[in-house]
Amino acid sequence: MRGKINWTWKKITGTILGVLGIGTLVSCYGMVEDDDLSVYGTVTNSDGGKIKGIEVTLKNSSGNGTEKTTTSDYGKYEFSYLSEGSYTLTFKDVDGSENGSYKEKTEEATLSYNDIEPNKELNVTLENAD
């Protein structure tokens, strides 16, 4: 009888510790949820200089969602709260020659919850339009 109680107690303790262990991992690292993905990066010129004022357009593969942003003074952009799927990003110089003139460029990004790093860093180099 004593052996059966010890065995039951070990099972209960093991289950509780297992649940607490998973809870601790989730609370420390979080879980990726719907609309919790992002794509971000830096836009540079061929010399490595950061380009501000580049319009970045994000379209999902189904074509029913479009977002736009403009690169910061440090050439950075970011799209957050995205769902899993494929996206097309278009980088377009819309300020004329203010920061130089650059050719438009299109890139693809796929976001997946199954990736080790589900958020994508997509750095882009634009060519001079001259």
Side-chain angles (χ1 to χ4, degrees), residues 25-43:
L25 286 173
V26 170
S27 67
C28 289
Y29 299 104
M31 291 184 69
V32 177
E33 298 178 10
D34 288 349
D35 300 335
D36 198 22
L37 300 172
S38 66
V39 61
Y40 60 94
T42 304
V43 179

